[in-house]
Amino acid sequence: MRIVLVGPPGAGKGTQATRLAEKLRIPHISTGDLFRANISRQTELGKLAKSYMDAGNLVPDEVTIAMAKDRMEQPDAEGGFLLDGFPRNVSQAEALDELLQTEGIKLDAVLDLEAPEDEVVKRIAGRRVCRKDSAHVFHVTYSPPQQEGVCDACGGELYQRDDDSEETVRTRLEVYHTQTEPIIGYYRAQGLVVTISAMGPVDEVTERALEALKSGK
């Protein structure tokens, strides 16, 4: 299957993308991974992307699109792929359509993960990360530490990252609504959108997504 995964920050896209790609036996292609891979390998696209990032600017669509094209042409993506974070706007969605048409292939579905805005803010703003080891992550409501402000694993101080503050989360949501959400309408016009609730246990959301992709609803 060839799938685009969309949804607001905090809807669990990263978690579900990894799980769905594994279940469907297709590669998970995320924008972040594309940037990191190209930059670490010092490809021409990676060097170009880094020059924009170092200057504090957004990487232009054409660079992101070129990276995605290169990745989708790899042998492991011949049977399908799951795109996460790309396309992020209608211009990129149109460019993706052109790329796929050139290859004589098309998307099978656009999976839209829905979550109430207040829940998204609660999920992200409640995160607390260990200063000693950022792999240790807690949540004030869903997975609180045994002692408030202290990491269960190593005793390090838990803190809220700047990116996780409520103000920042609401700004990220505004950007999502303005830039990315319109692609849902773009793909809905093509009959590709499958919408599911991102609420509930992770396993249940995964099964819900698989069933929706299978039935096309």
Side-chain angles (χ1 to χ4, degrees):
M1 294 190 78
R2 296 177 178 87
I3 304 166
V4 167
L5 184 64
V6 296
K13 290 192 303 299
T15 299
Q16 292 304 325
T18 300
R19 294 167 67 89
L20 291 170
E22 182 178 345
K23 294 276 188 181
L24 296 170
R25 298 182 181 179
I26 53 177
H28 168 207
I29 302 175
S30 78
T31 306
D33 288 344
L34 287 176
F35 287 163
R36 284 187 288 272
N38 278 273
I39 290 172
S40 66
R41 297 201 312 267
Q42 296 190 329
T43 66
E44 290 304 313
L45 288 171
K47 292 176 184 176
L48 188 56
K50 190 173 186 300
S51 69
Y52 284 99
M53 295 164 72
D54 287 348
N57 298 320
L58 289 175
V59 177
D61 283 354
E62 56 265 29
V63 177
T64 304
I65 292 163
M67 286 185 181
K69 179 178 184 294
D70 179 69
R71 180 64 185 88
M72 289 187 291
E73 290 175 345
Q74 299 302 310
D76 67 334
E78 286 183 2
F81 47 75
L82 188 152
L83 296 175
D84 169 19
F86 174 83
R88 71 167 182 255
N89 55 45
V90 172
S91 294
Q92 289 188 359
E94 292 172 342
L96 176 60
D97 278 351
E98 291 180 10
L99 284 177
L100 297 179
Q101 287 170 8
T102 300
E103 300 297 323
I105 56 179
K106 61 182 181 179
L107 292 174
D108 293 296
V110 174
L111 181 62
D112 172 30
L113 299 183
E114 278 193 339
E117 189 158 311
D118 287 345
E119 175 63 21
V120 165
V121 173
K122 184 178 179 181
R123 285 184 182 185
I124 299 177
R127 288 176 188 161
R128 297 296 182 269
V129 181
C130 179
R131 288 194 186 277
K132 287 185 178 180
D133 188 339
S134 60
H136 301 156
V137 181
F138 298 82
H139 193 281
V140 295
T141 302
Y142 303 123
S143 55
Q146 294 179 4
Q147 182 180 344
E148 184 177 350
V150 179
C151 176
D152 292 351
C154 67
E157 178 193 359
L158 298 180
Y159 75 106
Q160 182 187 54
R161 295 180 301 192
D162 290 342
D163 283 352
D164 293 342
S165 71
E166 181 172 344
E167 182 180 1
T168 301
V169 175
R170 292 198 181 278
T171 298
R172 289 168 61 193
L173 283 167
E174 185 176 340
V175 171
Y176 170 77
H177 292 316
T178 303
Q179 296 184 11
T180 303
E181 198 169 42
I183 72 172
I184 298 174
Y186 172 82
Y187 284 123
R188 184 171 284 122
Q190 300 180 34
L192 291 172
V193 177
V194 176
T195 301
I196 68 162
S197 169
M199 303 297 290
V202 172
D203 287 345
E204 286 185 14
V205 176
T206 303
E207 290 306 313
R208 192 180 301 146
L210 290 170
E211 184 59 34
L213 289 170
K214 181 179 177 181
S215 64
K217 298 179 180 179

